[in-house]
Amino acid sequence: MDLKAEALNEVEISRHFFARTTECLAEADSAFQPAPGMMTVAGQVAHAAHAIDWFREGAFTGDWDMDWEAQAVETAKVTSLTTARRWLEDAWGRLREAVEVATAEQLATTLPDNPILPGRPLYHVVESIVDHTAHHRGALAVYARLLGKVPKMPYGED
C-alpha cells in the first residue's frame, strides 16, 4: 500500500473506531461531565473535531494556532452531541479531502519548522490525529460507562 492509500485508510479506521465506541451516547448525554470543570460529552466530541481541523490546518498550511484558551472556549460553546458529531464528521471529510489531493511524495515531505511536528513528514499529521482521537475515544468510553452504558468494542464488526 502506498503512503497516500495508507493515510486514507488510517483516517477511515480512526473515524470508524470513534463512531463505534461513542454510538451508545445519545443527545440526552450531551451535558454529562464526570466532575465539575471537565469537558462534557458534547465538549469531548467537539474538541476531537476541532483538533482534526487544527492538525490539518497546521500541517497542510503551516498555520499552527497555539491559542489554547481561545480554542477551549470555542469547543465549550458546543452543547449538543448532534452538533458536535456533525462537526466531527465534517472534520474527517476535510482531512480526507486534504489527503486525497496530496501526492504520496508530498505526504513524505518533511514539514517546515513548526512547534508540533518538527522535522516530521506531512504524513505524521495523520498519525497524530489517530493518536489524539483515540485518547478522546477512550475518555468517552469511560463517560459512557459512568452513564451506565456499554460502548461497543471499537475493533469489532457490526
Side-chain angles (χ1 to χ4, degrees):
M1 185 179 316
D2 68 30
L3 197 56
K4 182 174 179 172
E6 185 176 327
L8 289 168
N9 186 56
E10 287 297 316
V11 168
E12 180 53 29
I13 288 170
S14 189
R15 186 204 63 76
H16 176 75
F17 289 170
F18 196 97
R20 273 187 65 86
T21 300
T22 62
E23 73 182 35
C24 65
L25 295 166
E27 182 65 21
D29 302 322
S30 295
F32 175 77
Q33 59 187 158
M38 293 181 70
M39 281 190 241
T40 64
V41 167
Q44 285 273 358
V45 176
H47 172 77
H50 178 273
I52 291 168
D53 285 335
W54 179 83
F55 271 112
R56 178 185 46 78
E57 281 292 315
F60 284 89
T61 71
D63 182 20
W64 295 99
D65 179 2
M66 305 298 280
D67 188 346
W68 309 123
E69 289 181 25
Q71 294 170 40
V73 167
E74 180 182 352
T75 58
K77 289 178 187 174
V78 179
T79 59
S80 163
L81 180 56
T82 301
T83 299
R85 282 180 167 150
R86 193 169 335 149
W87 184 2
L88 181 63
E89 197 55 38
D90 291 348
W92 285 123
R94 286 186 289 274
L95 177 60
R96 272 192 304 273
E97 288 172 12
V99 173
E100 285 171 351
V101 299
T103 65
E105 293 76 27
Q106 288 170 320
L107 292 170
T109 301
T110 301
L111 289 166
D113 191 31
N114 68 82
I116 302 300
L117 297 170
R120 304 302 304 227
L122 176 59
Y123 170 82
H124 282 269
V125 74
V126 172
E127 293 176 341
S128 297
I129 289 168
V130 167
D131 184 57
H132 186 261
T133 56
H135 162 75
H136 289 284
R137 181 181 84 221
L140 285 163
V142 172
Y143 281 32
R145 291 193 180 275
L146 290 170
L147 286 164
K149 300 178 179 200
V150 179
K152 284 185 179 177
M153 172 68 83
Y155 318 108
E157 294 296 323
D158 290 329

